[in-house]
Amino acid sequence: MSGTFTMDPDWLVFDPDPTKPTFVLPSGTVDAHCHVFGPGSIFPYVPERKYTPCDASKDQLFALRDFLGVERNVIVQATCHGSDNSAMLNAVASSKGRARGVATVRPDVSENELTEMHDIGVRGVRFNYVRRLVDPEPDRYYHRIIEKIAPLGWHVVVYFEASDLEERWDFFTSIEIRVIVDHMGRPDVSKPVDGPDFQRFVRLLREHENVWSKVTCPERLSLTGPPYDDVVPFASYVVNEFPNRVLWGTDWPHPNLSDHMPDDGALVDFVPRIAPTASLQQALLVDNPARLYWEDSHG
Ligand code: 0GY
């Protein structure tokens, strides 16, 4: 392999020049869902990947962090890197304590590898069920991973489509450590907030206090486009109902979008629309991610 990659022909590249947000993020704000891609010449994309992105380096991520007024990042392993966590780990290691990581591991991962990742700053693993990104494994595969990470106090991040929740319910609710759901379980925002589909997701959080939600990706969920009015009722519902179990993030560099690339400044300005009070903002942006990623609690 030459070490260089050509991004997919229909790939949309992140906005290199976002607007300065009007909303001033509170001190200590964490972007709790973002990625790094490569650069492929240093950290090759894995052969089994389902997309080849543009490179999106740690330096570009840290520059965006500073521009938006974010203080810290949680860098989530992207599927184009499979279970080779080296790009993510390199970014976390060079953040001077200002980033934590969420890894992808296989059940045969060793205790030593997990301890090394913990020491660098990893605090969770991601299980991805979105078929256009990965081929999901049987439950026992994930249970074996949970057994290995639980002693470290790590959590599980799950990414799935709304239509998968019913089928995965028994597995998700059998997990005893914390479970963080990406992007509110990807609701169909053309359906009502109080309809059965979104209420199934709400029930997951209501009945299981170890389940949290990221109120991320209005740009991915919206059917009407910016300023993402159709996503506001869903995200504000979750923030209001579960103020101490929600996380916010940019999802930079926004993989696999097909119709538009969001302005990251506008994503920051979306926050007060879903978390209108200072106390909701403090919990969403600062206190919740600090508790999850910067305190070594095993709760
Ligand atoms: C996201 C969403 C996506 C991609 C990935 O790891 C990934 O490749 O997470 C997606 O395509 O919906 O959370 O970044």
Side-chain angles (χ1 to χ4, degrees), residues 11 33-35 37 51 76-81 104 126 128 130 132-134 159 161 182-183 186 214 216-217 219-220 251-257:
W11 189 264
H33 187 92
C34 52
H35 311 283
F37 296 151
Y51 62 85
V76 177
Q77 172 75 354
T79 57
C80 54
H81 283 295
T104 297
R126 192 184 198 201
N128 199 321
V130 177
R132 68 183 161 74
L133 296 172
V134 287
Y159 188 24
E161 305 278 4
D182 277 342
H183 321 330
R186 293 192 59 107
K214 293 183 199 163
T216 34
C217 284
E219 72 288 357
R220 204 174 278 289
D251 194 31
W252 187 90
H254 312 291
N256 302 308
L257 291 180

